[in-house]
């Protein structure tokens, strides 16, 4: 039975950044639905073709597509794996879909990274992502040692298509309307924790680590 930890929060809250640290330092298998969808787009799959304009517009990809992706991925994990979900569920329907798998994949903890709007906007507008390996940077808070190129693989850094101001506004409002209600779903199940997501990456990691370690 693989144990599931969910990291939720607004666009730019630092889910991906913290998920990478938790995976690396605490041995979780990280699974980001945003990353998987962007891979589909890059590879030109059927899912990628359906998802591309939706993602670029800042809206949510349909629940049934996400359920197929998540179910297939969870089926790959071994029973004693610790799984970290970044960016799923994002609608109440998705939370019910995930609950339908709870016999094999129970959700043990849901952590929301709570970040003020000014920080969210600053983090998103300054993010740059490697076009080759996908590593994430920030022009002010986490710049590449090689300027406009990735300091791991040398790939060109680019701005995500949904990280421009008009798209950021859409994503923040979709989060308020569609994703925030998911928090009540998990509060009612007694597995929800709110963490202050403002501050440095290491400060936030320490807060997360102390909560996550209560799981095992
Ligand atoms: P997704 O890729 O999940 O995007 P998101 O939720 O909008 O979140 P982000 O990845 O933008 O932010 P993050 O919280 O991971 O922050 P990060 O650590 O990168 O989804 C994209 C799209 O895919 C969705 O809009 C939707 O269309 C679709 N999708 C995905 N899942 C779906 C689902 N379940 N259902 C339907 N559709 C779905 O940090 C951001 C920046 O800030 C980086 O530059 C980073 O370096 C910097 N930073 C991080 N932490 C700090 C810090 N403490 N201080 C300063 N800077 C920091
Ligand atoms: Mg992310």
């Amino acid at each position: 039975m693989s144990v599931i930890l969910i990291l939720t929060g607004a666009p730019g809250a630092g889910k991906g950044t913290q998920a990478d640290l938790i995976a690396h330092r605490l041995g979780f298998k990280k699974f980001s639905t945003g990353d998987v969808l962007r891979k589909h787009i890059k590879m030109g799959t059927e899912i990628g073709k359906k998802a591309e304009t939706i993602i670029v517009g800042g809206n949510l990809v349909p629940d049934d597509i996400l359920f197929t992706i998540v179910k297939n991925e969870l089926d790959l994990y071994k029973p004693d794996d610790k799984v970290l979900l970044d960016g799923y569920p994002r609608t109440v329907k998705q939370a019910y879909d995930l609950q339908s798998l709870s016999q094999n994949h129970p959700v043990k903890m849901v952590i929301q990274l709570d970040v003020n709007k000014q920080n969210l906007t600053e983090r998103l507008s300054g993010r740059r992502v490697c076009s080759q390996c996908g590593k994430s940077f920030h022009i002010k808070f986490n710049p590449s040692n090689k300027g406009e190129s990735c300091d791991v693989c040398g790939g060109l850094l680019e701005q995500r298509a949904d990280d421009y101001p008009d798209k950021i506004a859409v994503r923040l409002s979709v989060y308020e309307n569609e994703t925030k209600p998911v928090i009540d779903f998990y509060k009612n199940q007694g597995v929800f924790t709110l963490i202050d997501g403002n501050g440095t990456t290491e400060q936030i990691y320490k807060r997360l680590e102390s909560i996550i370690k209560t799981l095992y």
Side-chain angles (χ1 to χ4, degrees):
M1 200 165 57
S2 54
V3 165
I4 296 186
L5 165 66
I6 291 170
L7 207 49
T8 186
K15 302 181 294 294
T17 303
Q18 295 298 332
D20 282 340
L21 293 178
I22 294 165
H24 187 240
R25 298 179 186 177
L26 300 178
F28 277 76
K29 310 260 174 171
K30 171 200 148 177
F31 176 40
S32 156
T33 46
D35 288 349
V36 172
L37 287 164
R38 281 183 290 275
K39 258 184 216 150
H40 275 281
I41 293 174
K42 218 171 181 178
M43 294 187 311
T45 67
E46 280 308 307
I47 287 180
K49 283 178 201 154
K50 283 183 194 156
E52 185 162 16
T53 45
I54 300 173
I55 292 184
V56 172
N59 291 299
L60 294 180
V61 176
D63 295 333
D64 58 333
I65 295 182
L66 266 297
F67 189 54
T68 307
I69 291 175
V70 169
K71 191 175 177 311
N72 288 343
E73 180 75 18
L74 291 181
D75 283 345
L76 298 175
Y77 294 125
K78 293 196 284 301
D80 55 351
D81 280 340
K82 297 181 284 182
V83 181
L84 175 57
L85 276 181
D86 159 10
Y88 188 89
R90 248 177 161 95
T91 65
V92 172
K93 170 70 168 68
Q94 292 180 11
Y96 278 106
D97 286 343
L98 185 59
Q99 195 178 34
S100 74
L101 307 175
S102 64
Q103 204 171 1
N104 291 325
H105 308 290
V107 172
K108 291 289 186 197
M109 188 179 274
V110 178
I111 304 176
Q112 181 199 355
L113 286 173
D114 187 34
V115 177
N116 68 50
K117 202 171 170 184
Q118 194 191 330
N119 281 344
L120 291 175
T121 310
E122 194 178 12
R123 289 181 189 181
L124 289 171
S125 49
R127 173 168 48 194
R128 297 293 180 272
V129 180
C130 175
S131 54
Q132 280 183 35
C133 74
K135 189 178 173 203
S136 182
F137 298 89
H138 190 283
I139 50 173
K140 181 170 162 193
F141 303 121
N142 182 25
S144 166
N145 296 324
K146 289 194 183 163
E148 307 277 292
S149 307
C150 176
D151 55 22
V152 174
C153 75
L156 197 65
L157 301 189
E158 54 187 25
Q159 194 159 3
R160 246 169 67 174
D162 56 351
D163 275 349
Y164 291 88
D166 55 329
K167 303 299 167 15
I168 290 174
V170 174
R171 288 161 65 204
L172 291 174
S173 108
V174 167
Y175 175 74
E176 287 295 324
N177 297 327
E178 306 275 337
T179 307
K180 273 233 174 122
V182 175
I183 289 165
D184 287 327
F185 178 94
Y186 287 115
K187 270 186 185 162
N188 291 335
Q189 298 196 353
V191 290
F192 179 77
T193 306
L194 183 76
I195 293 273
D196 180 5
N198 301 292
T200 67
T201 296
E202 282 302 325
Q203 284 169 338
I204 299 157
Y205 175 76
K206 287 282 167 234
R207 292 173 202 147
L208 287 167
E209 187 189 55
S210 61
I211 302 280
I212 293 168
K213 283 197 164 163
T214 64
L215 265 177
Y216 50 91

